[in-house]
Amino acid sequence: MSAEPTPPARLVHAVEQARAAAVEDATTDLGRASAESAVGEHLGAVVEDPGTLTHFFAATQGGYRGWRWSVTLAADEQGPITVCEVVLLPGADAVVAPAWVPWQERIRPGDLGVGDLLPAPADDERLVPGYLAVDDADLDVPIAIEVGLGRTKVLSRAGRDAAADRWTEGPHGPGADMARAAPGSCGTCGFFLSLAGSMRGAFGVCGNEYAPADGAVVAVGFGCGAHSDVVVEASSPVAVAELVYDDGVDLEPVASS
């Protein structure tokens, strides 16, 4: 194991020269008066190589908590001390901006607003090429729509699987609290409108304006209290007290007049 290089002693003792370099750098943005107080106490030094040493000073200006001034000095045994670099660096407890994430990776479901555009990536695995034209004039239109005729792209198997997983695990899936408490499932409800194609047996759209999922995709196993087969037993709107018979009271006969 090689020993840590030892810099010239005069680099180790050149704390004030390093501080002066940091103050000069801070003056450009803060002005001379503020720059003097922006460079705080000396925090230590790190050897870069035998002829290079970096001094660290606390950054005390507002908004830079935990940051430090880094001043790198270089010199040989005989030559003058040279300032190689002055820069502000974050420390272990510094407040820093989060790592930059591309916009297309930051967006989440529900973020799209009126007028916003969200192009699909060129390599989007959810989509595959469709068919642009129908060569057979006698081809049934519903069949043409199902296989994607007239569209440049259609959902791939991966896209359909992802949608199915999302809808199944979502608020209108069979595991939702409302579904577990429902008197029946959407698959047996008269308001259930089945999807076409490969999703037909598993999902549909609710067509009941009074249901919580009206207009939304629901799983066949979902359900709510607005099921078309719900029957409520009729009862009197007026509360009737139960009849009470008290046989423990002696009745005295009253003579008729």
Side-chain angles (χ1 to χ4, degrees), residues 167 171-173 178 184-195 202-228:
W167 296 342
H172 300 144
M178 182 169 290
S185 65
C186 290
T188 60
C189 181
F191 296 106
F192 181 77
L193 303 170
S194 297
L195 293 183
F203 301 99
V205 176
C206 177
N208 186 348
E209 62 180 314
Y210 299 106
D214 179 42
V217 174
V218 294
V220 294
F222 181 67
C224 70
H227 193 283
S228 60

Side-chain angles (χ1 to χ4, degrees), residues 218-246:
V218 294
V220 294
F222 181 67
C224 70
H227 193 283
S228 60
D229 294 340
V230 167
V231 177
V232 180
E233 295 182 3
S235 60
S236 173
V238 180
V240 179
E242 296 183 1
L243 296 178
V244 178
Y245 297 92
D246 190 351

Side-chain angles (χ1 to χ4, degrees), residues 109 126 155 158-173 203:
R126 300 171 301 172
L155 273 177
R160 291 194 301 271
D161 289 346
D165 290 343
R166 192 168 60 250
W167 296 342
T168 299
E169 300 297 329
H172 300 144
F203 301 99

Side-chain angles (χ1 to χ4, degrees), residues 19-107:
R19 180 190 300 276
V23 170
E24 182 179 354
D25 189 83
T27 301
T28 304
D29 295 325
L30 304 177
R32 173 58 63 175
S34 299
E36 291 285 352
S37 60
V39 181
E41 64 177 326
H42 185 248
L43 301 177
V46 173
V47 178
E48 305 292 350
D49 58 55
T52 307
L53 183 76
T54 297
H55 288 278
F56 297 103
F57 301 89
T60 58
Q61 66 265 46
Y64 284 85
R65 188 190 71 192
W67 286 66
R68 54 189 182 173
W69 290 96
S70 170
V71 182
T72 302
L73 305 178
D76 53 26
E77 293 295 338
Q78 303 297 328
I81 296 176
T82 302
V83 177
C84 300
E85 182 182 50
V86 179
V87 65
L88 268 173
L89 296 176
D93 59 343
V95 177
V96 297
W100 184 80
V101 178
W103 176 81
Q104 63 270 24
E105 297 179 20
R106 295 198 307 269
I107 193 168

